Structure formats: C-alpha cells, structure tokens
Amino acid sequence: MKSVKHILARKGSNVIAVPAKTTVLNVLKLMSEKNIGSVVVTENDNYIGLVTERDYARKIILMGKHSDDTTVGEIMSNDFPKITPESSVDSCMLIMSENNIRYLPVFDKEEQLCGIISINDVVYETIHSQKETIEQLHSYIQST
C-alpha cells in the first residue's frame, strides 16, 4: 500500500510559506503566480496553519472584508488533521472526504512540517497505483 512518503518523493517536500502578518492580497498574488491553492502560514518560522482559496472565499468575500487590509493569520485554518509520511494514501483520502478538506499538512516524528499533500496528489497516487496493479495482472495473465 502506498504511503504519503511516496507522494512527497514524487512531488517534493518544499512548501510555500508566509508569515502570519502577510496580507491576504499578497498571498493571493503568490498563489496565482505559483498556481497553488494553499500556502503555509508561519510564526517565527514555525507552522501555525494553512490559508486556502476556500478561506479567502468564505472569510473575506462573504464576510465583507478587504484582502488588502486583512492578514492571513486572521483567516487561516489551523484545525487540519495531522498525518505523517507513513500514513497511507487510502487513509488520507478517507480523512479528506470525511472532513471535506483538500489539503493535509504532513508532520515528521519531531512534529515539524515536512510537506503538504492535496486531494489531487492523493487521486494521482491512487490512479498510478491502480495502473500498476492492472499492468501486473496483465503480465500475470499473459504468463499463464
């Protein structure tokens, strides 16, 4: 069974992070430039949460706030379930589905952030794993 470490090995463990005092507008520009849907929020270089496009839509637009005078620390989400590189891809898919979330922060044994995975990463890994299984079954059938 594939684990989160397989996803991180494929995509890397680099994350885009900004201090909590960064304005939402600047983070939106960064997300657009990098073509990403979430950014890690830090305080003193330590992970404190994630800000996502969903946070923007629900906590800025719908609340009548302005993205140029609101900080990401004010709207970030910090209640994501914690997973590790050893977590299975299947368990991540279940966590994401049950919690209706698109991103999961990955923490090592020392509770340090070591990556972020998205629902797209989980779907890609699942499809890739299924293709491998199909190829193995085809090989087995052809060899008998």
Side-chain angles (χ1 to χ4, degrees), residues 12 69 77 101 112 123 125:
D69 62 5
S77 297
I101 55 177
Q112 294 297 310
V123 168
E125 198 64 41

Side-chain angles (χ1 to χ4, degrees), residues 62-128:
L62 292 178
M63 302 301 265
K65 294 183 178 182
H66 298 281
S67 56
D68 56 352
D69 62 5
T70 305
T71 67
V72 291
E74 295 174 64
I75 68 161
M76 70 178 183
S77 297
N78 58 7
D79 56 351
F80 291 95
K82 289 188 177 181
I83 62 167
T84 68
E86 288 73 35
S87 298
S88 73
V89 171
D90 289 345
S91 69
C92 291
M93 187 176 292
L94 184 62
I95 289 169
M96 291 171 144
S97 294
E98 287 177 343
N99 292 285
N100 194 28
I101 55 177
R102 298 176 183 149
Y103 304 95
L104 285 172
V106 184
F107 296 91
D108 63 18
K109 293 175 185 167
E110 289 80 39
E111 295 290 317
Q112 294 297 310
L113 182 71
C114 62
I116 300 289
I117 63 167
S118 71
I119 190 67
N120 289 342
D121 297 325
V122 171
V123 168
Y124 176 86
E125 198 64 41
T126 301
I127 291 169
H128 183 70

